[in-house]
Amino acid sequence: MRKIQVQILLLFFISFQTLFAQQPQKPNAVEIYNQIKKLNFLGSVLYVAAHPDDENTRMISYLANEVNARTGYLSLTRGDGGQNLIGPQLRELLGVIRTQELIEARKIDGGEQFFSRANDFGFSKNPNETLEIWDKDKVLADVVWTIRNFQPDIIINRFDHRSPGTTHGHHTSSAMLSVESFKLTNDPKVYPEQLKFVSPWQVKRQFFNPSWWFYGSQEKFDAANKSKFTKLETGVYYTGIGKSNQEIAALSRSRHQSQGFGSTGVRGLETEYLELINGETPKDRDNLFDGIDTSWNRVKNGKPVGDLVASIIDKYNFSNPSASIPDLVKAYTMIQALDDTHWKNLKSTAIKNIIASCSGLYLEAVSNEQEATPGSSIRLSLEAINRCAVEMQLTSVTTLPDNKTTAQNSILKDNNDQKISLQLQLPNNIEYTQPYWLKEKATVGMYTVSNQQNIGIPDIIREVKVIFNIKINNVEIPFERTVVYKYNDGVKGEMYNFLDIVPEVTTSILEKVLIFRDTKSKMVPVKVRAGKGDVKGNLQLDLPKSWNVSPKQIAFTLDKKGTEQIFYFEVTPPVNPEEVVAKSIAVVDNKRFDRDETIIDFNHITKQMVLKPAESKCIRIDLKTSGDAIAYIMGAGDEVPESLTQMGYKVSILKPEEITPEKLDSFSTVITGIRAYNTVNALANKQNILFNFVKSGKNMIVQYNTYGSKLVTDKIAPYPLKLSNDRVTEENAKVTFLAPNHPVLNTPNKITSKDFEGWTQEQGLYYPDEYDPAFTPIISSHDKGESAKNGALLVAPYGKGYYIYTGLSFFRELPEGVAGAYRLLSNIISLKQPLEAPKQDLKQ
């Protein structure tokens, strides 16, 4: 029986990963059986770490699938500060992507997802810096809130709270805050404002989940004394599907596509270890829940529920799951009578899903359009079908958020599809669809979420729903469904998106940074998009008085919903250097609309809409350039080419197969995008062509790559060059000029320390720490308490041209409009050797 249970669960999770996120689940008989089994386990584990992809998916999968525990993952951040291998999105947009990747990962490994309000501000070398930039008290409050809400019996920390400085500061901070919370969550004097919604809660045990990389090597870990550790044999093999627990975990981890964490599953015996750091020591050391009641006995008056569910399990008919419905309905009624609201709510949701699955009860609410505006009316197509012999009646449907109930009183006969059409009037004050944590102004270290009950919710909060009220055996049960939009794709078939609530009009300044090198005016394109049909209004581009904008406003008419139109404003900058923010505003019926709609759409996650202020940074800058045609070879994805175009360069994106001597001949400079030598395998065979390009008198600029075996070639430069993990995370770290007379600091722009002011997130990363004497290190800086890092910008003459390697974070600074980054990059591009260059012994 136990073997069947395990096979069931994994069949469900393996099959589910092939579906798009919004598609309804349609479990089979063995999957339903496992869901019933999980009804009778009342134990919870919360795994705690700092970022998406920090979690141990093997442990989460084992706990959720083999142990049957309710398993959650609290990631303190949404991963906003990382890099992106699948697109140009950074910062909060990357956080949206990584949030969805975590949600998809949990669907595969069986866990649940939670977050705090902490903003991933980038790499941090120690927890002191982390907790200074984060608001420690607020993040600690969020950890306490999550624990009180989730009510875990056990907490497992991914990182060690006792070893600051040995890993990312966010990592250690997550463990430190988790440990600190252990003695706080049951104290009603701690964060008492939370107790309006939750109760104090005491975790029984807290563990640290060590691994070989905490010890430095597998050999050291194998040799370590682990006699006092809890040992879990997680290398479970599930014969029913031919997959191991590790293979399931690998599928989960492979959802982190933006980080390049595609993972290959392994097989065989595997042991995970847990070190107890707080709470009771289990008598049976290797039984995580030893001494903790995980049955219905832990709930007052719950024993009869557990006995009934055990009977349902024992009598379950795989050929006819609907035979369990009468007893399941009875169990549902018994659960409704319980006083324990925590388990009552959790198990009510679970048993309703089981009842629907056993009966083949399919309920769906589909909007006739994917986007709707506040105050509008949308047509809903409802479907209800009972596919079993048990008698059911659809008594009514209730639409949300208008809370309008429409009587139906129709019998749902076996396999007789019921179709219902309804009009839903959306309230004028309904919230726009967007990530709730991005609605309010954030700080560098924290997102702002004013509503306490929203803190920790992983996903967008969607208000438009339909409740199907269905009577089964004279018991009325409400089944809630979120409204979706469905269409057929000629290649992919049935496709789902959620219904999005959008503004009547959105606007967008197409260039997010506008560079003005002199007082000449520029035509600035602004896009207007209609969220509904027949929209008329006036478009404005708002800038400070020192900037001249013509015309003051432009009238627009958009006949159809989804129509877009681009208008142009002539913008003239002031004489003196100045940095300002331009805002585009559409005025419709005396209402101002100033949101910019960004759509994030990747195949592996749910489509996302993000609404941000419709703004652009305008910079009147003292910037001189030379050289014109640049070939850009994309790597992991960045927005540097757009910034180069703003500077006045002609930029061509060059595909690897286009890297030929003939193609390169028309360019003065080649620039490789971030991590190009980590992601573009073809570059390994193009180096001689690129080096000969430099030798002929041109420039090659290579932006940062990660070090080690991740490089596609060990010869990324014409001279020996070794990358390292050196980085300067303090963006305001003092910069020293090592070669103050070098042209790169003087021509055509005079670079001073002022050009390194206002940098964001970091100065740079993965600097070379060993390099040939042919390279001249240009600048030096370091984080507090560290030695000087001299590899941020290395320049070497090669033949008649220059090869430049830089770990400076131009990919972050240019899209943020950091003036000094533009000036320095211009100088790098402008490098030229004197006509009578001294002869040199060139190394091939």
Side-chain angles (χ1 to χ4, degrees):
M1 190 68 74
R2 174 67 174 170
K3 188 178 291 184
I4 293 174
Q5 168 204 352
V6 171
Q7 294 173 6
I8 292 162
L9 177 70
L10 288 172
L11 279 167
F12 168 71
F13 285 117
I14 293 301
S15 63
F16 186 79
Q17 67 170 318
T18 63
L19 301 177
F20 288 91
Q22 304 91 330
Q23 286 183 321
Q25 300 177 23
K26 302 171 185 176
N28 59 39
V30 289
E31 294 165 0
I32 297 166
Y33 176 78
N34 181 74
Q35 293 173 14
I36 300 173
K37 290 278 289 186
K38 287 181 79 76
L39 271 180
N40 254 9
F41 192 94
L42 281 69
S44 303
V45 182
L46 183 65
Y47 202 89
V48 179
H51 309 110
D53 72 44
D54 282 346
E55 78 275 23
N56 183 346
T57 53
R58 299 180 185 189
M59 179 68 78
I60 290 175
S61 175
Y62 174 81
L63 293 170
N65 302 341
E66 177 69 7
V67 179
N68 273 335
R70 183 185 181 216
T71 307
Y73 174 44
L74 171 58
S75 174
L76 293 193
T77 76
R78 296 177 183 267
D80 327 77
Q83 283 87 51
N84 185 359
L85 291 180
I86 61 174
Q89 298 87 357
L90 293 175
R91 293 300 307 144
E92 67 272 13
L93 295 183
L94 177 58
V96 171
I97 292 172
R98 298 188 72 183
T99 292
Q100 292 301 311
E101 289 178 335
L102 265 186
I103 291 170
E104 294 302 314
R106 296 294 79 79
K107 291 175 182 177
I108 293 170
D109 60 35
E112 299 176 44
Q113 188 58 51
F114 305 96
F115 295 95
S116 83
R117 289 170 290 176
N119 193 336
D120 180 1
F121 56 83
F123 190 84
S124 177
K125 294 180 178 178
N126 62 75
N128 290 336
E129 179 197 46
T130 296
L131 296 174
E132 183 178 322
I133 296 175
W134 289 351
D135 186 324
K136 179 192 171 183
D137 186 65
K138 288 182 179 177
V139 182
L140 179 60
D142 291 355
V143 176
V144 171
W145 166 257
T146 303
I147 293 170
R148 287 172 170 173
N149 225 335
F150 189 75
Q151 296 187 11
D153 301 300
I154 295 163
I155 288 178
I156 300 175
N157 295 337
R158 167 80 286 192
F159 300 104
D160 189 356
H161 64 289
R162 302 158 295 193
S163 55
T166 60
T167 183
H168 198 315
H170 297 181
H171 293 168
T172 310
S173 294
S174 71
M176 291 169 64
L177 292 171
S178 178
V179 169
E180 187 174 350
S181 73
F182 187 84
K183 295 180 180 179
L184 302 179
T185 54
N186 203 32
D187 186 347
K189 296 178 182 178
V190 175
Y191 307 118
E193 68 280 0
Q194 298 180 0
L195 302 183
K196 299 175 188 175
F197 313 106
V198 292
S199 300
W201 178 258
Q202 183 58 59
V203 177
K204 304 295 191 302
R205 297 178 184 127
Q206 187 174 48
F207 295 91
F208 161 52
N209 179 201
S211 182
W212 67 264
W213 40 279
F214 290 100
Y215 287 77
S217 69
Q218 185 65 53
E219 290 75 18
K220 291 181 180 178
F221 185 51
D222 291 341
N225 182 6
K226 297 185 282 292
S227 61
K228 294 184 179 180
F229 289 0
T230 291
K231 183 172 64 173
L232 303 177
E233 300 300 338
T234 58
V236 182
Y237 175 63
Y238 307 107
T239 57
I241 59 169
K243 284 185 172 61
S244 65
N245 184 65
Q246 302 99 307
E247 288 170 320
I248 305 303
L251 293 169
S252 170
R253 189 159 183 78
S254 295
R255 294 298 89 189
H256 297 293
Q257 293 183 17
S258 68
Q259 304 307 296
F261 280 154
S263 182
T264 300
V266 297
R267 292 143 294 280
L269 298 174
E270 181 179 70
T271 304
E272 287 282 348
Y273 293 93
L274 299 174
E275 178 188 359
L276 184 73
I277 54 178
N278 267 315
E280 313 164 349
T281 301
K283 291 180 181 178
D284 179 357
R285 187 178 297 278
D286 296 338
N287 179 357
L288 205 60
F289 282 94
D290 183 55
I292 299 173
D293 190 353
T294 59
S295 74
W296 278 96
N297 294 338
R298 73 184 298 170
V299 176
K300 183 181 178 181
N301 300 320
K303 186 178 185 302
V305 179
D307 292 343
L308 179 55
V309 173
S311 173
I312 295 170
I313 293 169
D314 187 56
K315 296 186 296 184
Y316 183 76
N317 185 342
F318 286 88
S319 299
N320 182 23
S322 65
S324 298
I325 291 176
D327 282 342
L328 286 167
V329 171
K330 183 179 178 182
Y332 169 80
T333 304
M334 295 166 66
I335 292 172
Q336 304 319 297
L338 297 175
D339 294 329
D340 186 316
T341 56
H342 177 73
W343 287 110
K344 174 182 176 178
N345 292 337
L346 290 172
K347 296 303 183 180
S348 291
T349 300
I351 200 167
K352 284 195 291 185
N353 289 336
I354 293 168
I355 291 169
S357 299
C358 282
S359 61
L361 180 62
Y362 184 84
L363 305 169
E364 187 174 69
V366 178
S367 169
N368 67 328
E369 48 194 338
Q370 206 256 306
E371 295 182 348
T373 56
S376 65
S377 177
I378 58 174
R379 182 170 57 83
L380 297 181
S381 298
L382 310 185
E383 180 180 2
I385 183 170
N386 166 31
R387 290 173 284 187
C388 75
V390 176
E391 184 175 312
M392 296 187 187
Q393 181 183 15
L394 176 61
T395 61
S396 63
V397 294
T398 302
T399 52
L400 300 175
D402 63 346
N403 205 29
K404 179 182 177 181
T405 298
T406 304
Q408 299 297 320
N409 297 318
S410 58
I411 301 299
L412 297 180
K413 296 179 180 179
D414 185 5
N415 210 31
N416 188 355
D417 205 3
Q418 298 286 314
K419 299 290 181 66
I420 304 164
S421 182
L422 285 179
Q423 288 294 126
L424 170 61
Q425 182 67 40
L426 296 173
N428 291 321
N429 61 351
I430 190 172
E431 295 274 1
Y432 298 137
T433 302
Q434 61 178 317
Y436 69 91
W437 61 94
L438 298 180
K439 285 168 52 179
E440 302 176 72
K441 187 174 179 61
T443 66
V444 172
M446 295 294 296
Y447 285 118
T448 302
V449 181
S450 299
N451 187 334
Q452 175 68 51
Q453 291 178 282
N454 289 347
I455 293 172
I457 294 175
D459 208 351
I460 287 171
I461 299 169
R462 299 181 185 274
E463 299 180 63
V464 187
K465 301 178 180 182
V466 173
I467 298 172
F468 295 80
N469 300 300
I470 295 180
K471 187 176 289 186
I472 308 173
N473 286 1
N474 292 317
V475 176
E476 188 166 277
I477 303 175
F479 294 88
E480 184 179 277
R481 297 292 183 265
T482 301
V483 173
V484 297
Y485 171 71
K486 185 169 69 173
Y487 64 98
N488 186 72
D489 182 277
V491 175
K492 299 176 181 178
E494 188 176 59
M495 301 291 292
Y496 283 77
N497 281 314
F498 286 112
L499 169 69
D500 287 335
I501 308 302
V502 302
E504 293 177 22
V505 175
T506 54
T507 76
S508 175
I509 305 173
L510 297 185
E511 302 291 348
K512 298 310 174 188
V513 177
L514 291 157
I515 300 295
F516 294 81
R517 296 164 51 193
D518 49 38
T519 57
K520 292 180 181 177
S521 63
K522 278 191 175 186
M523 300 304 292
V524 176
V526 179
K527 182 177 71 175
V528 182
R529 183 180 187 274
K532 68 174 188 177
D534 192 23
V535 178
K536 298 178 181 179
N538 290 299
L539 181 64
Q540 303 169 1
L541 186 62
D542 187 16
L543 275 161
K545 292 181 179 179
S546 55
W547 295 65
N548 185 60
V549 180
S550 179
K552 296 301 181 186
Q553 63 180 25
I554 301 174
F556 65 86
T557 299
L558 301 173
D559 295 330
K560 295 182 179 180
K561 178 179 180 177
T563 302
E564 297 178 352
Q565 196 168 349
I566 296 175
F567 300 93
Y568 290 86
F569 291 88
E570 185 176 11
V571 176
T572 306
V575 174
N576 297 320
E578 187 178 3
E579 296 183 13
V580 298
V581 174
K583 300 179 181 180
S584 59
I585 301 162
V587 180
V588 178
D589 296 332
N590 295 319
K591 291 195 297 184
R592 291 163 58 92
F593 295 91
D594 59 357
R595 299 285 100 177
D596 181 353
E597 178 189 88
T598 299
I599 299 297
I600 299 175
D601 195 5
F602 293 99
N603 287 334
H604 69 300
I605 60 175
T606 298
K607 179 182 175 183
Q608 301 288 292
M609 181 179 76
V610 181
L611 296 174
K612 299 172 63 179
E615 297 178 348
S616 177
K617 192 170 185 178
C618 293
I619 306 174
R620 169 66 177 94
I621 184 176
D622 180 13
L623 175 66
K624 302 178 181 65
T625 61
S626 65
D628 52 5
I630 295 175
Y632 200 91
I633 302 169
M634 293 298 295
D638 57 63
E639 296 179 331
V640 173
E642 291 88 337
S643 300
L644 292 168
T645 301
Q646 276 291 318
M647 295 168 70
Y649 296 108
K650 297 177 183 177
V651 184
S652 299
I653 305 296
L654 217 58
K655 296 178 181 178
E657 60 270 22
E658 296 177 314
I659 302 175
T660 65
E662 296 77 17
K663 187 74 173 180
L664 292 178
D665 188 57
S666 59
F667 298 103
S668 60
T669 302
V670 166
I671 302 178
T672 61
I674 62 171
R675 298 182 70 175
Y677 286 97
N678 300 129
T679 59
V680 184
N681 291 326
L683 281 178
N685 300 316
K686 298 293 184 178
Q687 292 300 84
N688 287 337
I689 296 173
L690 292 169
F691 294 159
N692 286 334
F693 171 81
V694 179
K695 191 184 294 186
S696 71
K698 310 293 183 69
N699 292 340
M700 180 177 179
I701 303 168
V702 176
Q703 297 182 82
Y704 96 93
N705 294 271
T706 56
Y707 70 105
S709 59
K710 296 178 180 179
L711 294 169
V712 301
T713 174
D714 58 0
K715 192 177 181 183
I716 63 172
Y719 305 108
L721 180 77
K722 184 179 178 182
L723 305 184
S724 75
N725 199 30
D726 286 352
R727 60 203 304 162
V728 178
T729 63
E730 296 170 15
E731 58 269 23
N732 57 354
K734 181 182 176 182
V735 174
T736 300
F737 295 146
L738 300 175
N741 296 322
H742 196 284
V744 79
L745 294 176
N746 294 278
T747 304
N749 304 287
K750 179 66 177 178
I751 303 300
T752 69
S753 59
K754 188 178 171 104
D755 288 297
F756 287 90
E757 295 177 2
W759 284 49
T760 65
Q761 186 162 323
E762 61 199 351
Q763 277 190 5
L765 61 172
Y766 298 110
Y767 296 166
D769 62 349
E770 297 179 23
Y771 40 85
D772 192 88
F775 285 103
T776 299
I778 303 299
I779 63 174
S780 176
S781 64
H782 60 86
D783 290 328
K784 292 174 185 175
E786 294 194 354
S787 61
K789 305 295 185 289
N790 299 338
L793 179 58
L794 302 174
V795 180
Y798 185 70
K800 298 178 181 179
Y802 279 103
Y803 175 94
I804 303 99
Y805 188 93
T806 179
L808 292 171
S809 59
F810 287 111
F811 73 104
R812 293 198 190 279
E813 312 313 321
L814 298 177
E816 291 295 326
V818 178
Y822 282 90
R823 287 163 45 81
L824 179 57
L825 183 57
S826 173
N827 282 17
I828 296 173
I829 294 169
S830 302
L831 278 172
K832 289 183 179 179
Q833 293 191 37
L835 292 176
E836 296 297 328
K839 293 183 180 180
Q840 51 188 313
D841 181 17
L842 300 179
K843 300 183 180 181
Q844 301 299 320

